[in-house]
Amino acid sequence: MIWRVTSLSDLSDLDSKFAHLADERESRRAAAYAGVVRWEWYEGDAFDLQPLWHERNLLRPGRRLDRRPPLTQDHYQLGFDVDDRVVTVLEYSGFLNGRLVYETLRMYRADLIEEAHYNADGRGIYLREYLLESGRIRSTASAATFGGDIETYDYIDNSVVRIEVQHAKRASGALRHPTPQASIEAMYDGEGLLRLTSINPGRLGETLYERPPADFSIDAARSTVQAELGVQVLRAVREFDLEAAAYCVALAYADGFDPSAVTVHVGLEEDRQAFLAEGDDEDGDGEDIVWSPADMTGYADIDMSAVRDTARLLAQELRLSKVAVSRETVCAVAVSLGELDWQTIMPVTDDFVVFAVDLEMADLAQNLAAAGLPRNEP
C-alpha cells in the first residue's frame, strides 16, 4: 500500500532555532560525544539520512577504512552510539593536510532526529529536522545560512516512490514561505531501484539516475562518445564558415566525469597577434590568453544528441566510480583531429593546433604537450 505523508508549510520555528546554533555548539557536542561508543574512519559520507540522497546526487557512499588514511586525502571520522546510529560526523580536508573542516552532530528522539552542521570554527551552517512516523522518515526541514528546504516522502511499503522538494529563500534575514522546487519520482523493479526522475515546475523531466543495462560497458560507452565527439567537433567548426586564418581549435571541457560536455572554440591569428602585442596576461607576454578559450572569437556547443543516453550513463557511472576521464578522452579527440588536413576545412596558420583545455586551464601544459606543442610556444 502507499504510505502518504503530509506537507509542511512553515520554517519560522526551525529558523529561530538555527539562529542560536553557534551558541549551542558546545552543549550539542558534549551530548553527541557522550553517546559515542566507537569511532570509525570512512573515505566519505556513508550514512546520509535523507532518503535516496546518494542516488539522486550520484554519490557513492563512503567505504569504511581500517585506519586513518594519509592526511592528504579527504576522509571522515564517524562516531556511533550503542544502537549503532551515527551521532557525530567529522570531515577532514586532504587539501588542508588533514585539518578538520566540518562537524555534524545528531540527536535522536522517538519521532524526531535533529542534525546540526557546523564549520570547524563553530559557525552554524544548517539545522535539519527529520520527522518520523512508524520508524520511517516522513519529512525533513532545514534552515541554513542562505535559505531553507522542506522535503516530504511518499512510500509504497518500505520504498520511497516520490519526494516533494520545497525551497525557501532568505530575504531581509528571514526565510520566505517555501515554494515547490521539484518532484522526484522513483521507479523500482525486481532488482531494486531502476530510475530516479526529477520534474521541476515549468521544465521537462530530468533523469537523475538510471540503472545501466546488464551489458553496459564503461569502455565501450567511452569509445562511442569519443567517436561522436570527433564527428561533432568537425561539424561545428565547418559551421563557423571562417574566412580569417585560425591558429587553433580548443576543445574545452568543464566536467571531469562527463567527457561529452565539450564546447568548441576557434582562435584567430589576428587575435593572437593582438594579444601578444598587448602582453595581456599576468606574466606580461600575452601567452596565457592565447590559449584561453574564453578569449577566443569562435564558440559553439556540441550536439551529442545522437548518443545522449550513452553519454548520460557514462557520466553517471564515471561519477559513481569517481573516475575522471574527460581530460584523457578529449585529448585523444584533439590528437585525432590534429592529424587531419585542416587546410581543406578552414583557413589555418602553419603552426595550427587542436588541443583540449579545462576551463580553469589547470592542465594546459600537459594538454599542449599531448597535442605536440611545447608550453612555451604561443
Side-chain angles (χ1 to χ4, degrees), residues 19-45:
H20 300 287
L21 203 60
D23 298 332
E24 298 173 351
R25 188 196 185 191
E26 291 308 317
S27 61
R28 286 178 178 272
R29 173 189 269 182
Y33 278 52
V36 175
V37 296
R38 77 176 192 279
W39 292 93
E40 292 183 356
W41 296 105
Y42 278 76
E43 65 174 4
D45 179 23

Side-chain angles (χ1 to χ4, degrees), residues 49 89 99 137 194 209 229 270 321 324-325 332 356 373:
L49 297 179
V89 180
R99 183 187 306 173
I137 296 174
L194 177 63
Y209 168 83
L229 269 176
E270 57 192 37
S321 61
V325 302
L373 189 69

